[in-house]
Amino acid sequence: MLKHLSVPNCVRFLKILIAPTAILAASFDLAAPTPCSAGFVGLGQAGKYTLFDVSNSQFQFNNSTVGGDVALGPGTTYNISGGTEAISGAVYYDQSNPTAPSGFSPGVPTGGIHSAILAQAVADARAADASAAGLTANLVVSGNQITNSTGTITGHAGENIIDLTQVNLTNGSVLINGTATETFIFRVSGQFSVGNSTIRVTGGVLPEHVLWYFPNTSTIKSSNGSFDGTILALHSPVQFDNTPTGLGPIRGAVIATDDVNNNQNWVFSTVSGFDIVDIDGHSFVPVPEPGSIILAGIAGAGALLLIVRRRCRREN
C-alpha cells in the first residue's frame, strides 16, 4: 500500500498517523508512574518452578502431589520418602550439590532427575525479594490482616500492594476480587496460617497474579487448607501438608529458603497429602502497567510514521 502513495495521499496519510500518535503520547504523560512507584520486577527464572527450595535448607517431601517442576538450589539437603507422591514434571538439583535427590517412588518424577545450573534462578529469587521489600503499599485491608471475618478483598487497576501483619484463617473463606489486568502483592510481616480454609481469586483475577511475600522470619503453613498465589519467603521455613480434596489444590508455587540464616535445621516441608498445581506453567507474572502498554503503542505508531515519511520523500 505504501509503495503506491502519491504526494497528496502521502500528506493525508501522515496527518492520519500524526493525530493518534499525539493522543497516545499525551495519554502516556498522564499514565506514566512516578519514579517512586516502580513496580515489582517479577520472578525471572525462579518463576519456572512449582516448588523451588532456593538454598541452604532441608527439602522434606513425601506423599504429596506436584503439578510442575521442582528445583533444589545450592546447599540444599534432602529428606525424601516415597509413598503415594506424584510429580508431573522434572526435579532439578544444583550442580554444586554433592549428591542427587533420591527416595522417590518408582516413576517419580515423570520428567526425571537432572543436575542443573540454578545460579540465575537463585539470583532472580533474591532480586524479587529485594524488589517486593521496596514496594509502596497502595491498598489497605481492614485491620491490616486476613482473618475469618475478612470476606472479599477488592483491588483496583494495575498493581495492588497490601501490607499485612498476619494471615490467620480457621474454617474460613476469603476471596481476592478483581480483573485479569490486576495483580495483588501481599507483604506479610507475621504468620501465614490457612487451616481448614481457602483463599481464592474471583472476578477474573488469575492465581498467577497473586504473590504472598514474607520479608521476615515467619510461621508459614497450610494445614488442611488451600489458597491461590505464589509464596515468596527467603527468610523463613515453610510447612505445608494435607490439602483436602474437597478444597481443591493450591494453585500457584512456593519459592522459599532460609537464605539469610543458612540454617540447615530450617525446613522446606511438603508432606502428607500436600497438593499443588502450577497454573498455566508458571508462577507469579506481573501485569504490564498502563504506561508500558501506551509506550508500546507510541513506538509502533512512530515506526510506521517514519516509514511513510521516507516513502513520501522518495515519491516527491
Side-chain angles (χ1 to χ4, degrees):
M1 182 181 79
L2 297 179
K3 183 177 180 180
H4 302 291
L5 280 177
S6 64
V7 173
N9 286 338
C10 276
V11 173
R12 285 194 294 270
F13 199 22
L14 284 171
K15 288 180 178 179
I16 291 171
L17 280 175
I18 289 171
T21 304
I23 293 171
L24 279 172
S27 300
F28 175 72
D29 184 61
L30 293 172
T34 59
C36 64
S37 63
F40 180 59
V41 298
L43 297 173
Q45 293 293 308
K48 293 172 56 178
Y49 307 105
T50 306
L51 298 182
F52 184 17
D53 189 337
V54 177
S55 66
N56 302 319
S57 56
Q58 182 185 112
F59 180 70
Q60 188 176 72
F61 183 88
N62 69 63
N63 296 330
S64 297
T65 302
V66 180
D69 293 334
V70 176
L72 307 174
T76 299
T77 59
Y78 322 118
N79 181 2
I80 299 167
S81 57
T84 59
E85 84 280 12
I87 300 176
S88 58
V91 172
Y92 299 93
Y93 67 98
D94 192 77
Q95 63 175 6
S96 66
N97 294 345
T99 60
S102 61
F104 296 108
S105 296
V108 178
T110 59
I113 300 172
H114 310 277
S115 176
I117 300 173
L118 296 175
Q120 187 60 57
V122 171
D124 288 347
R126 291 173 178 166
D129 176 87
S131 176
L135 296 173
T136 301
N138 60 13
L139 183 66
V140 176
V141 170
S142 178
N144 297 313
Q145 59 183 339
I146 292 177
T147 63
N148 290 351
S149 62
T150 297
T152 300
I153 299 168
T154 299
H156 52 68
E159 196 173 67
N160 295 272
I161 316 296
I162 305 103
D163 280 334
L164 299 174
T165 58
Q166 67 169 344
V167 176
N168 187 12
L169 287 171
T170 305
N171 299 312
S173 176
V174 170
L175 294 175
I176 300 170
N177 179 53
T179 69
T181 61
E182 297 174 24
T183 58
F184 291 79
I185 299 178
F186 295 93
R187 187 164 45 200
V188 187
S189 61
Q191 70 169 327
F192 181 90
S193 179
V194 183
N196 300 301
S197 304
T198 59
I199 304 175
R200 293 301 192 195
V201 294
T202 188
V205 182
L206 305 175
E208 58 264 36
H209 290 168
V210 178
L211 181 74
W212 303 94
Y213 168 63
F214 299 85
N216 309 312
T217 300
S218 305
T219 299
I220 304 171
K221 60 184 180 179
S222 178
S223 302
N224 301 310
S226 192
F227 59 89
D228 289 340
T230 296
I231 295 283
L232 177 61
L234 300 194
H235 312 273
S236 190
V238 294
Q239 298 176 317
F240 295 123
D241 62 72
N242 194 25
T243 310
T245 303
L247 298 183
I250 290 172
R251 301 186 297 182
V254 181
I255 302 169
T257 181
D258 179 23
D259 204 30
V260 173
N261 299 299
N262 190 21
N263 185 342
Q264 286 291 334
N265 293 323
W266 287 27
V267 175
F268 187 121
S269 178
T270 54
V271 300
S272 301
F274 177 71
D275 185 6
I276 184 168
V277 57
D278 189 353
I279 301 297
D280 294 335
H282 48 67
S283 47
F284 182 84
V285 178
V287 173
E289 290 295 316
S292 301
I293 299 172
I294 294 172
L295 186 59
I298 293 173
L304 183 57
L305 182 60
L306 182 60
I307 292 171
V308 173
R309 288 186 62 184
R310 287 177 176 174
R311 175 68 65 182
C312 288
R313 286 174 180 172
R314 285 199 295 269
E315 293 294 330
N316 196 25

mmCIF file of all heavy atoms in Angstrom, residues 197-243:
data_model
loop_
_atom_site.group_PDB
_atom_site.id
_atom_site.type_symbol
_atom_site.label_atom_id
_atom_site.label_comp_id
_atom_site.label_asym_id
_atom_site.label_seq_id
_atom_site.Cartn_x
_atom_site.Cartn_y
_atom_site.Cartn_z
ATOM 1 N N SER A 197 -9.279 -23.909 55.570
ATOM 2 C CA SER A 197 -9.799 -22.682 54.973
ATOM 3 C C SER A 197 -9.315 -22.545 53.532
ATOM 4 O O SER A 197 -8.441 -23.289 53.079
ATOM 5 C CB SER A 197 -9.331 -21.459 55.782
ATOM 6 O OG SER A 197 -9.711 -21.560 57.139
ATOM 7 N N THR A 198 -9.874 -21.555 52.829
ATOM 8 C CA THR A 198 -9.448 -21.290 51.465
ATOM 9 C C THR A 198 -9.260 -19.792 51.232
ATOM 10 O O THR A 198 -9.953 -18.966 51.837
ATOM 11 C CB THR A 198 -10.468 -21.806 50.428
ATOM 12 O OG1 THR A 198 -11.737 -21.176 50.663
ATOM 13 C CG2 THR A 198 -10.616 -23.311 50.492
ATOM 14 N N ILE A 199 -8.325 -19.463 50.355
ATOM 15 C CA ILE A 199 -8.177 -18.114 49.816
ATOM 16 C C ILE A 199 -8.159 -18.278 48.302
ATOM 17 O O ILE A 199 -7.230 -18.875 47.746
ATOM 18 C CB ILE A 199 -6.885 -17.430 50.290
ATOM 19 C CG1 ILE A 199 -6.810 -17.386 51.821
ATOM 20 C CG2 ILE A 199 -6.804 -16.006 49.717
ATOM 21 C CD1 ILE A 199 -5.500 -16.819 52.346
ATOM 22 N N ARG A 200 -9.185 -17.774 47.629
ATOM 23 C CA ARG A 200 -9.327 -17.990 46.200
ATOM 24 C C ARG A 200 -9.511 -16.660 45.451
ATOM 25 O O ARG A 200 -10.005 -15.681 46.007
ATOM 26 C CB ARG A 200 -10.540 -18.888 45.905
ATOM 27 C CG ARG A 200 -10.404 -20.316 46.393
ATOM 28 C CD ARG A 200 -9.218 -21.017 45.781
ATOM 29 N NE ARG A 200 -9.224 -22.453 46.016
ATOM 30 C CZ ARG A 200 -8.167 -23.235 45.829
ATOM 31 N NH1 ARG A 200 -7.021 -22.716 45.404
ATOM 32 N NH2 ARG A 200 -8.231 -24.531 46.079
ATOM 33 N N VAL A 201 -9.123 -16.656 44.170
ATOM 34 C CA VAL A 201 -9.345 -15.493 43.315
ATOM 35 C C VAL A 201 -10.729 -15.579 42.689
ATOM 36 O O VAL A 201 -11.302 -16.664 42.526
ATOM 37 C CB VAL A 201 -8.271 -15.402 42.215
ATOM 38 C CG1 VAL A 201 -6.905 -15.140 42.817
ATOM 39 C CG2 VAL A 201 -8.236 -16.665 41.350
ATOM 40 N N THR A 202 -11.266 -14.412 42.322
ATOM 41 C CA THR A 202 -12.580 -14.358 41.691
ATOM 42 C C THR A 202 -12.662 -13.108 40.816
ATOM 43 O O THR A 202 -11.828 -12.202 40.923
ATOM 44 C CB THR A 202 -13.709 -14.350 42.753
ATOM 45 O OG1 THR A 202 -14.976 -14.497 42.100
ATOM 46 C CG2 THR A 202 -13.710 -13.064 43.560
ATOM 47 N N GLY A 203 -13.674 -13.057 39.951
ATOM 48 C CA GLY A 203 -13.916 -11.870 39.144
ATOM 49 C C GLY A 203 -12.977 -11.691 37.971
ATOM 50 O O GLY A 203 -12.970 -10.636 37.340
ATOM 51 N N GLY A 204 -12.156 -12.688 37.686
ATOM 52 C CA GLY A 204 -11.223 -12.562 36.567
ATOM 53 C C GLY A 204 -9.764 -12.554 36.977
ATOM 54 O O GLY A 204 -8.876 -12.725 36.145
ATOM 55 N N VAL A 205 -9.483 -12.310 38.258
ATOM 56 C CA VAL A 205 -8.105 -12.376 38.745
ATOM 57 C C VAL A 205 -7.561 -13.785 38.541
ATOM 58 O O VAL A 205 -8.267 -14.774 38.762
ATOM 59 C CB VAL A 205 -8.015 -12.007 40.251
ATOM 60 C CG1 VAL A 205 -6.563 -12.039 40.718
ATOM 61 C CG2 VAL A 205 -8.611 -10.649 40.506
ATOM 62 N N LEU A 206 -6.306 -13.892 38.128
ATOM 63 C CA LEU A 206 -5.685 -15.189 37.904
ATOM 64 C C LEU A 206 -4.808 -15.577 39.095
ATOM 65 O O LEU A 206 -4.209 -14.704 39.739
ATOM 66 C CB LEU A 206 -4.831 -15.144 36.632
ATOM 67 C CG LEU A 206 -5.551 -14.693 35.358
ATOM 68 C CD1 LEU A 206 -4.561 -14.589 34.205
ATOM 69 C CD2 LEU A 206 -6.675 -15.645 35.013
ATOM 70 N N PRO A 207 -4.710 -16.865 39.399
ATOM 71 C CA PRO A 207 -3.836 -17.276 40.510
ATOM 72 C C PRO A 207 -2.396 -16.807 40.341
ATOM 73 O O PRO A 207 -1.725 -16.477 41.326
ATOM 74 C CB PRO A 207 -3.923 -18.811 40.474
ATOM 75 C CG PRO A 207 -5.255 -19.098 39.862
ATOM 76 C CD PRO A 207 -5.456 -18.017 38.840
ATOM 77 N N GLU A 208 -1.924 -16.727 39.077
ATOM 78 C CA GLU A 208 -0.550 -16.284 38.850
ATOM 79 C C GLU A 208 -0.375 -14.779 38.961
ATOM 80 O O GLU A 208 0.714 -14.257 38.730
ATOM 81 C CB GLU A 208 -0.052 -16.768 37.484
ATOM 82 C CG GLU A 208 -0.870 -16.335 36.291
ATOM 83 C CD GLU A 208 -1.881 -17.385 35.870
ATOM 84 O OE1 GLU A 208 -2.443 -18.064 36.745
ATOM 85 O OE2 GLU A 208 -2.118 -17.515 34.653
ATOM 86 N N HIS A 209 -1.438 -14.069 39.335
ATOM 87 C CA HIS A 209 -1.344 -12.635 39.595
ATOM 88 C C HIS A 209 -1.425 -12.319 41.092
ATOM 89 O O HIS A 209 -1.698 -11.180 41.477
ATOM 90 C CB HIS A 209 -2.445 -11.879 38.841
ATOM 91 C CG HIS A 209 -2.231 -11.854 37.356
ATOM 92 N ND1 HIS A 209 -3.200 -11.451 36.454
ATOM 93 C CD2 HIS A 209 -1.145 -12.186 36.600
ATOM 94 C CE1 HIS A 209 -2.721 -11.545 35.227
ATOM 95 N NE2 HIS A 209 -1.477 -11.992 35.293
ATOM 96 N N VAL A 210 -1.199 -13.337 41.915
ATOM 97 C CA VAL A 210 -1.208 -13.152 43.371
ATOM 98 C C VAL A 210 0.134 -13.606 43.937
ATOM 99 O O VAL A 210 0.584 -14.720 43.666
ATOM 100 C CB VAL A 210 -2.355 -13.945 44.038
ATOM 101 C CG1 VAL A 210 -2.305 -13.783 45.566
ATOM 102 C CG2 VAL A 210 -3.708 -13.488 43.492
ATOM 103 N N LEU A 211 0.761 -12.732 44.718
ATOM 104 C CA LEU A 211 2.044 -13.043 45.353
ATOM 105 C C LEU A 211 1.927 -12.833 46.854
ATOM 106 O O LEU A 211 1.436 -11.793 47.308
ATOM 107 C CB LEU A 211 3.154 -12.155 44.803
ATOM 108 C CG LEU A 211 4.560 -12.397 45.370
ATOM 109 C CD1 LEU A 211 5.144 -13.702 44.806
ATOM 110 C CD2 LEU A 211 5.497 -11.235 45.053
ATOM 111 N N TRP A 212 2.380 -13.835 47.604
ATOM 112 C CA TRP A 212 2.464 -13.726 49.067
ATOM 113 C C TRP A 212 3.939 -13.593 49.430
ATOM 114 O O TRP A 212 4.699 -14.546 49.298
ATOM 115 C CB TRP A 212 1.849 -14.954 49.733
ATOM 116 C CG TRP A 212 0.420 -15.202 49.356
ATOM 117 C CD1 TRP A 212 -0.043 -16.015 48.370
ATOM 118 C CD2 TRP A 212 -0.743 -14.612 49.957
ATOM 119 N NE1 TRP A 212 -1.412 -15.984 48.314
ATOM 120 C CE2 TRP A 212 -1.869 -15.121 49.280
ATOM 121 C CE3 TRP A 212 -0.937 -13.700 51.008
ATOM 122 C CZ2 TRP A 212 -3.169 -14.758 49.613
ATOM 123 C CZ3 TRP A 212 -2.228 -13.351 51.338
ATOM 124 C CH2 TRP A 212 -3.329 -13.870 50.660
ATOM 125 N N TYR A 213 4.329 -12.406 49.869
ATOM 126 C CA TYR A 213 5.746 -12.125 50.140
ATOM 127 C C TYR A 213 5.978 -11.982 51.641
ATOM 128 O O TYR A 213 5.227 -11.289 52.340
ATOM 129 C CB TYR A 213 6.185 -10.849 49.416
ATOM 130 C CG TYR A 213 7.532 -10.347 49.872
ATOM 131 C CD1 TYR A 213 8.676 -11.122 49.685
ATOM 132 C CD2 TYR A 213 7.659 -9.115 50.518
ATOM 133 C CE1 TYR A 213 9.915 -10.676 50.128
ATOM 134 C CE2 TYR A 213 8.896 -8.663 50.947
ATOM 135 C CZ TYR A 213 10.015 -9.445 50.757
ATOM 136 O OH TYR A 213 11.230 -9.017 51.207
ATOM 137 N N PHE A 214 7.044 -12.608 52.130
ATOM 138 C CA PHE A 214 7.354 -12.615 53.566
ATOM 139 C C PHE A 214 8.760 -12.034 53.786
ATOM 140 O O PHE A 214 9.754 -12.692 53.491
ATOM 141 C CB PHE A 214 7.268 -14.038 54.122
ATOM 142 C CG PHE A 214 5.898 -14.637 53.966
ATOM 143 C CD1 PHE A 214 5.526 -15.261 52.777
ATOM 144 C CD2 PHE A 214 4.964 -14.542 54.987
ATOM 145 C CE1 PHE A 214 4.251 -15.787 52.610
ATOM 146 C CE2 PHE A 214 3.689 -15.061 54.830
ATOM 147 C CZ PHE A 214 3.332 -15.687 53.638
ATOM 148 N N PRO A 215 8.840 -10.790 54.300
ATOM 149 C CA PRO A 215 10.142 -10.150 54.483
ATOM 150 C C PRO A 215 10.877 -10.588 55.742
ATOM 151 O O PRO A 215 12.067 -10.292 55.897
ATOM 152 C CB PRO A 215 9.784 -8.664 54.568
ATOM 153 C CG PRO A 215 8.394 -8.652 55.142
ATOM 154 C CD PRO A 215 7.722 -9.879 54.596
ATOM 155 N N ASN A 216 10.175 -11.275 56.647
ATOM 156 C CA ASN A 216 10.758 -11.634 57.946
ATOM 157 C C ASN A 216 10.688 -13.146 58.173
ATOM 158 O O ASN A 216 10.063 -13.880 57.418
ATOM 159 C CB ASN A 216 9.988 -10.931 59.085
ATOM 160 C CG ASN A 216 9.852 -9.454 58.859
ATOM 161 O OD1 ASN A 216 10.819 -8.778 58.541
ATOM 162 N ND2 ASN A 216 8.636 -8.939 59.019
ATOM 163 N N THR A 217 11.300 -13.577 59.247
ATOM 164 C CA THR A 217 11.133 -14.944 59.707
ATOM 165 C C THR A 217 9.693 -15.111 60.193
ATOM 166 O O THR A 217 9.238 -14.390 61.075
ATOM 167 C CB THR A 217 12.098 -15.266 60.856
ATOM 168 O OG1 THR A 217 13.432 -15.094 60.393
ATOM 169 C CG2 THR A 217 11.913 -16.693 61.336
ATOM 170 N N SER A 218 8.968 -16.035 59.600
ATOM 171 C CA SER A 218 7.550 -16.195 59.892
ATOM 172 C C SER A 218 7.201 -17.673 60.043
ATOM 173 O O SER A 218 7.987 -18.550 59.687
ATOM 174 C CB SER A 218 6.691 -15.596 58.765
ATOM 175 O OG SER A 218 7.016 -14.248 58.513
ATOM 176 N N THR A 219 6.010 -17.920 60.574
ATOM 177 C CA THR A 219 5.447 -19.265 60.570
ATOM 178 C C THR A 219 4.538 -19.354 59.364
ATOM 179 O O THR A 219 3.514 -18.671 59.291
ATOM 180 C CB THR A 219 4.657 -19.534 61.862
ATOM 181 O OG1 THR A 219 5.522 -19.422 62.985
ATOM 182 C CG2 THR A 219 4.049 -20.929 61.833
ATOM 183 N N ILE A 220 4.919 -20.179 58.388
ATOM 184 C CA ILE A 220 4.178 -20.270 57.136
ATOM 185 C C ILE A 220 3.694 -21.699 56.970
ATOM 186 O O ILE A 220 4.497 -22.618 56.793
ATOM 187 C CB ILE A 220 5.058 -19.859 55.942
ATOM 188 C CG1 ILE A 220 5.624 -18.448 56.156
ATOM 189 C CG2 ILE A 220 4.267 -19.922 54.647
ATOM 190 C CD1 ILE A 220 6.682 -18.057 55.138
ATOM 191 N N LYS A 221 2.379 -21.883 57.053
ATOM 192 C CA LYS A 221 1.849 -23.243 56.985
ATOM 193 C C LYS A 221 0.430 -23.227 56.433
ATOM 194 O O LYS A 221 -0.254 -22.198 56.446
ATOM 195 C CB LYS A 221 1.865 -23.897 58.367
ATOM 196 C CG LYS A 221 1.027 -23.173 59.419
ATOM 197 C CD LYS A 221 1.161 -23.830 60.785
ATOM 198 C CE LYS A 221 0.323 -23.107 61.830
ATOM 199 N NZ LYS A 221 0.427 -23.752 63.169
ATOM 200 N N SER A 222 0.024 -24.364 55.937
ATOM 201 C CA SER A 222 -1.334 -24.531 55.436
ATOM 202 C C SER A 222 -1.792 -25.937 55.776
ATOM 203 O O SER A 222 -1.637 -26.873 54.994
ATOM 204 C CB SER A 222 -1.382 -24.303 53.922
ATOM 205 O OG SER A 222 -2.683 -24.501 53.425
ATOM 206 N N SER A 223 -2.329 -26.074 56.955
ATOM 207 C CA SER A 223 -2.809 -27.382 57.427
ATOM 208 C C SER A 223 -4.265 -27.566 57.039
ATOM 209 O O SER A 223 -5.133 -26.828 57.502
ATOM 210 C CB SER A 223 -2.658 -27.471 58.947
ATOM 211 O OG SER A 223 -1.311 -27.280 59.323
ATOM 212 N N ASN A 224 -4.521 -28.530 56.174
ATOM 213 C CA ASN A 224 -5.885 -28.812 55.729
ATOM 214 C C ASN A 224 -6.525 -27.614 55.035
ATOM 215 O O ASN A 224 -7.743 -27.460 55.048
ATOM 216 C CB ASN A 224 -6.767 -29.253 56.902
ATOM 217 C CG ASN A 224 -6.235 -30.486 57.583
ATOM 218 O OD1 ASN A 224 -5.935 -31.480 56.932
ATOM 219 N ND2 ASN A 224 -6.098 -30.429 58.894
ATOM 220 N N GLY A 225 -5.706 -26.755 54.436
ATOM 221 C CA GLY A 225 -6.227 -25.579 53.753
ATOM 222 C C GLY A 225 -5.716 -25.489 52.336
ATOM 223 O O GLY A 225 -4.880 -26.284 51.893
ATOM 224 N N SER A 226 -6.223 -24.509 51.579
ATOM 225 C CA SER A 226 -5.795 -24.319 50.205
ATOM 226 C C SER A 226 -5.898 -22.839 49.850
ATOM 227 O O SER A 226 -6.728 -22.112 50.399
ATOM 228 C CB SER A 226 -6.657 -25.153 49.256
ATOM 229 O OG SER A 226 -6.085 -25.195 47.969
ATOM 230 N N PHE A 227 -5.045 -22.407 48.900
ATOM 231 C CA PHE A 227 -5.028 -20.990 48.534
ATOM 232 C C PHE A 227 -4.514 -20.827 47.112
ATOM 233 O O PHE A 227 -3.941 -21.747 46.509
ATOM 234 C CB PHE A 227 -4.158 -20.183 49.509
ATOM 235 C CG PHE A 227 -2.720 -20.638 49.579
ATOM 236 C CD1 PHE A 227 -1.761 -20.121 48.718
ATOM 237 C CD2 PHE A 227 -2.325 -21.602 50.502
ATOM 238 C CE1 PHE A 227 -0.440 -20.546 48.779
ATOM 239 C CE2 PHE A 227 -1.004 -22.032 50.574
ATOM 240 C CZ PHE A 227 -0.059 -21.495 49.703
ATOM 241 N N ASP A 228 -4.701 -19.631 46.575
ATOM 242 C CA ASP A 228 -4.187 -19.264 45.260
ATOM 243 C C ASP A 228 -3.020 -18.304 45.427
ATOM 244 O O ASP A 228 -3.050 -17.419 46.297
ATOM 245 C CB ASP A 228 -5.273 -18.570 44.423
ATOM 246 C CG ASP A 228 -6.375 -19.528 43.980
ATOM 247 O OD1 ASP A 228 -6.132 -20.749 43.978
ATOM 248 O OD2 ASP A 228 -7.474 -19.039 43.626
ATOM 249 N N GLY A 229 -2.014 -18.442 44.572
ATOM 250 C CA GLY A 229 -0.906 -17.495 44.573
ATOM 251 C C GLY A 229 0.441 -18.148 44.833
ATOM 252 O O GLY A 229 0.527 -19.332 45.174
ATOM 253 N N THR A 230 1.479 -17.353 44.663
ATOM 254 C CA THR A 230 2.855 -17.801 44.835
ATOM 255 C C THR A 230 3.414 -17.323 46.174
ATOM 256 O O THR A 230 3.295 -16.144 46.513
ATOM 257 C CB THR A 230 3.739 -17.245 43.699
ATOM 258 O OG1 THR A 230 3.296 -17.793 42.459
ATOM 259 C CG2 THR A 230 5.208 -17.599 43.907
ATOM 260 N N ILE A 231 3.997 -18.243 46.919
ATOM 261 C CA ILE A 231 4.695 -17.909 48.163
ATOM 262 C C ILE A 231 6.138 -17.523 47.824
ATOM 263 O O ILE A 231 6.845 -18.257 47.136
ATOM 264 C CB ILE A 231 4.717 -19.114 49.129
ATOM 265 C CG1 ILE A 231 3.299 -19.478 49.581
ATOM 266 C CG2 ILE A 231 5.635 -18.851 50.325
ATOM 267 C CD1 ILE A 231 2.718 -18.577 50.626
ATOM 268 N N LEU A 232 6.591 -16.362 48.303
ATOM 269 C CA LEU A 232 7.992 -15.948 48.186
ATOM 270 C C LEU A 232 8.500 -15.659 49.591
ATOM 271 O O LEU A 232 8.162 -14.650 50.196
ATOM 272 C CB LEU A 232 8.127 -14.710 47.305
ATOM 273 C CG LEU A 232 9.538 -14.125 47.143
ATOM 274 C CD1 LEU A 232 10.486 -15.136 46.500
ATOM 275 C CD2 LEU A 232 9.510 -12.831 46.340
ATOM 276 N N ALA A 233 9.298 -16.579 50.118
ATOM 277 C CA ALA A 233 9.746 -16.485 51.518
ATOM 278 C C ALA A 233 11.205 -16.919 51.607
ATOM 279 O O ALA A 233 11.499 -18.101 51.777
ATOM 280 C CB ALA A 233 8.869 -17.352 52.414
ATOM 281 N N LEU A 234 12.123 -15.973 51.497
ATOM 282 C CA LEU A 234 13.548 -16.297 51.528
ATOM 283 C C LEU A 234 14.169 -16.126 52.908
ATOM 284 O O LEU A 234 15.385 -16.178 53.048
ATOM 285 C CB LEU A 234 14.315 -15.428 50.515
ATOM 286 C CG LEU A 234 13.894 -15.554 49.054
ATOM 287 C CD1 LEU A 234 14.943 -14.912 48.154
ATOM 288 C CD2 LEU A 234 13.650 -16.993 48.649
ATOM 289 N N HIS A 235 13.340 -15.928 53.915
ATOM 290 C CA HIS A 235 13.835 -15.705 55.274
ATOM 291 C C HIS A 235 13.190 -16.646 56.275
ATOM 292 O O HIS A 235 13.279 -16.423 57.483
ATOM 293 C CB HIS A 235 13.564 -14.250 55.694
ATOM 294 C CG HIS A 235 13.968 -13.238 54.681
ATOM 295 N ND1 HIS A 235 15.234 -12.712 54.613
ATOM 296 C CD2 HIS A 235 13.270 -12.677 53.665
ATOM 297 C CE1 HIS A 235 15.304 -11.859 53.602
ATOM 298 N NE2 HIS A 235 14.121 -11.825 53.011
ATOM 299 N N SER A 236 12.516 -17.679 55.779
ATOM 300 C CA SER A 236 11.685 -18.444 56.695
ATOM 301 C C SER A 236 11.444 -19.859 56.175
ATOM 302 O O SER A 236 11.411 -20.080 54.954
ATOM 303 C CB SER A 236 10.332 -17.732 56.853
ATOM 304 O OG SER A 236 9.570 -18.300 57.886
ATOM 305 N N PRO A 237 11.278 -20.814 57.072
ATOM 306 C CA PRO A 237 10.867 -22.151 56.636
ATOM 307 C C PRO A 237 9.400 -22.154 56.230
ATOM 308 O O PRO A 237 8.639 -21.246 56.576
ATOM 309 C CB PRO A 237 11.089 -23.006 57.886
ATOM 310 C CG PRO A 237 10.894 -22.051 59.024
ATOM 311 C CD PRO A 237 11.429 -20.731 58.539
ATOM 312 N N VAL A 238 9.001 -23.168 55.478
ATOM 313 C CA VAL A 238 7.591 -23.355 55.130
ATOM 314 C C VAL A 238 7.208 -24.793 55.452
ATOM 315 O O VAL A 238 8.023 -25.710 55.307
ATOM 316 C CB VAL A 238 7.318 -23.048 53.645
ATOM 317 C CG1 VAL A 238 7.538 -21.590 53.347
ATOM 318 C CG2 VAL A 238 8.185 -23.912 52.735
ATOM 319 N N GLN A 239 5.988 -24.972 55.906
ATOM 320 C CA GLN A 239 5.493 -26.294 56.272
ATOM 321 C C GLN A 239 4.069 -26.454 55.755
ATOM 322 O O GLN A 239 3.134 -25.865 56.295
ATOM 323 C CB GLN A 239 5.543 -26.485 57.791
ATOM 324 C CG GLN A 239 6.953 -26.420 58.373
ATOM 325 C CD GLN A 239 6.960 -26.522 59.891
ATOM 326 O OE1 GLN A 239 6.143 -25.914 60.566
ATOM 327 N NE2 GLN A 239 7.881 -27.308 60.420
ATOM 328 N N PHE A 240 3.918 -27.248 54.711
ATOM 329 C CA PHE A 240 2.614 -27.456 54.110
ATOM 330 C C PHE A 240 2.267 -28.938 54.124
ATOM 331 O O PHE A 240 3.118 -29.794 53.859
ATOM 332 C CB PHE A 240 2.599 -26.961 52.658
ATOM 333 C CG PHE A 240 2.797 -25.474 52.524
ATOM 334 C CD1 PHE A 240 3.826 -24.973 51.754
ATOM 335 C CD2 PHE A 240 1.949 -24.591 53.163
ATOM 336 C CE1 PHE A 240 4.019 -23.607 51.617
ATOM 337 C CE2 PHE A 240 2.131 -23.216 53.043
ATOM 338 C CZ PHE A 240 3.168 -22.724 52.266
ATOM 339 N N ASP A 241 1.021 -29.239 54.436
ATOM 340 C CA ASP A 241 0.596 -30.629 54.431
ATOM 341 C C ASP A 241 -0.914 -30.731 54.222
ATOM 342 O O ASP A 241 -1.653 -29.773 54.446
ATOM 343 C CB ASP A 241 0.994 -31.341 55.731
ATOM 344 C CG ASP A 241 0.343 -30.727 56.960
ATOM 345 O OD1 ASP A 241 -0.874 -30.895 57.154
ATOM 346 O OD2 ASP A 241 1.052 -30.057 57.731
ATOM 347 N N ASN A 242 -1.348 -31.875 53.755
ATOM 348 C CA ASN A 242 -2.746 -32.286 53.688
ATOM 349 C C ASN A 242 -3.676 -31.230 53.093
ATOM 350 O O ASN A 242 -4.346 -30.493 53.814
ATOM 351 C CB ASN A 242 -3.260 -32.683 55.073
ATOM 352 C CG ASN A 242 -4.591 -33.430 54.977
ATOM 353 O OD1 ASN A 242 -4.879 -34.040 53.953
ATOM 354 N ND2 ASN A 242 -5.377 -33.382 56.028
ATOM 355 N N THR A 243 -3.708 -31.195 51.764
ATOM 356 C CA THR A 243 -4.656 -30.336 51.071
ATOM 357 C C THR A 243 -5.906 -31.156 50.771
ATOM 358 O O THR A 243 -5.887 -32.021 49.892
ATOM 359 C CB THR A 243 -4.059 -29.813 49.753
ATOM 360 O OG1 THR A 243 -2.766 -29.261 50.013
ATOM 361 C CG2 THR A 243 -4.942 -28.751 49.141
#
